[in-house]
Amino acid sequence: MNVRVVDYHAPDAAEQFTRSLHETGFGVLVNHPIPQSLVEKIYADWLAFFNSQAKYDYAFSMERQDGWFSPEVSETAKGATLKDIKEYFHIYPWGRVPPQLKADTDRYYAIANQLAQELLSWVQQYTPAHIAAHYTEPLSHMIADSQKTLLRVLRYPPLTGQEPAGSLRAAAHGDINLLTILPAANEPGLQVQDKQGEWLDVPCDFGTLVVNIGDMLQEASAGYYPSTQHRVVNPSGEGASKNRISLPLFLHPRPEVVLSERYTADSYLNERLRELGVKM
């Protein structure tokens, strides 16, 4: 499997990018519109927040699914038995954000969401007609005005050596949503599983943007766009003493959007949240 690295400004960018999504479930963009300086500032400022006592004022809400998720309530990936080694903060358009972090976070959310709508229009454009017939509305419309699109600020803390045997920063999983937009993290570790079951490193050079298919788009496209399993492995050596900050934007349709004969966006999301153990 070869995850294509595509120049956003190339004449054939849409075709090359969507081909990578179809073949691998992943695509990597360079020269994209998200400012690297903004991403780096967000990484630094949110790391300071995670290292402060202020996070305890934003403990997550089971009903709203927003706020700070401590390592103790962090996800257990579907099919896994051990919790991931991470903490994170969930940000929705209507949700809580520490005041000192809100301006940059809102700016990033807006820029990434706008890019995401364009990428979904690329996906729509290069979906074969017999597959596109399954879409109940244009893909970019599914996320328009959605209050469910989620920005997650993740911190994978330095390893202590006391972690449970076999636990990972993020165990193998597929994302729930349509597309995930992910600027390169400040440390490597992201891997994707190919069709032969081998784990491959995803390019993580600063300035690259990783985009992957989520389960909802796999459902809506009758499997044409595969939601590929991915994970974040534990570093060794010097890397084990470093924080890893990650900033995925999970594109969620409006709840009433019909994905397939089996699911609406809302019914699919609630099923998966129960499987993850973060919703009753």
Side-chain angles (χ1 to χ4, degrees), residues 51-213:
N51 283 327
S52 75
Q53 295 297 305
K55 64 187 179 184
Y56 294 100
D57 296 333
Y58 294 89
F60 95 105
S61 160
M62 181 79 77
E63 296 75 28
R64 293 156 52 97
Q65 292 291 312
D66 75 328
W68 173 63
F69 291 67
S70 72
E72 289 71 35
V73 298
S74 178
E75 292 170 317
T76 302
K78 183 177 178 178
T81 56
L82 297 170
K83 284 189 178 298
D84 291 345
I85 309 168
K86 65 189 183 189
E87 61 181 324
Y88 51 93
F89 199 104
H90 274 186
I91 301 163
Y92 293 97
W94 44 264
R96 296 172 290 167
V97 185
Q100 73 277 19
L101 302 172
K102 184 169 173 56
D104 286 336
T105 302
D106 285 354
R107 181 179 170 221
Y108 174 83
Y109 189 103
I111 294 170
N113 210 47
Q114 186 174 9
L115 173 60
Q117 285 191 300
E118 181 181 19
L119 298 182
L120 281 172
S121 71
W122 288 5
V123 170
Q124 179 93 29
Q125 179 184 356
Y126 285 96
T127 301
H130 70 285
I131 299 295
H134 293 283
Y135 301 152
T136 58
E137 62 184 273
L139 295 175
S140 60
H141 292 188
M142 291 183 181
I143 65 166
D145 302 318
S146 173
Q147 298 298 298
K148 291 290 190 178
T149 287
L150 164 65
L151 178 61
R152 173 184 280 182
V153 188
L154 276 155
R155 174 189 178 238
Y156 302 95
L159 300 180
T160 63
Q162 304 303 309
E163 290 79 19
S167 61
L168 292 176
R169 281 182 157 176
H173 65 283
D175 291 342
I176 301 171
N177 42 290
L178 290 173
L179 279 185
T180 301
I181 310 289
L182 179 69
N186 65 330
E187 290 291 324
L190 180 63
Q191 295 183 331
V192 58
Q193 191 173 39
D194 68 13
K195 292 176 181 176
Q196 287 70 49
E198 297 296 318
W199 288 100
L200 306 174
D201 292 328
V202 174
C204 67
D205 300 327
F206 247 23
T208 59
L209 188 74
V210 179
V211 180
N212 67 271
I213 301 294

Side-chain angles (χ1 to χ4, degrees), residues 78 176 215-216 219 262-280:
K78 183 177 178 178
I176 301 171
D215 293 347
M216 288 185 180
E219 182 74 22
R262 300 189 300 169
Y263 290 106
T264 64
D266 189 55
S267 67
Y268 198 101
L269 175 61
N270 286 324
E271 178 180 294
R272 289 296 304 278
L273 290 177
R274 286 191 291 272
E275 289 171 347
L276 291 171
V278 294
K279 187 165 186 170
M280 301 299 288

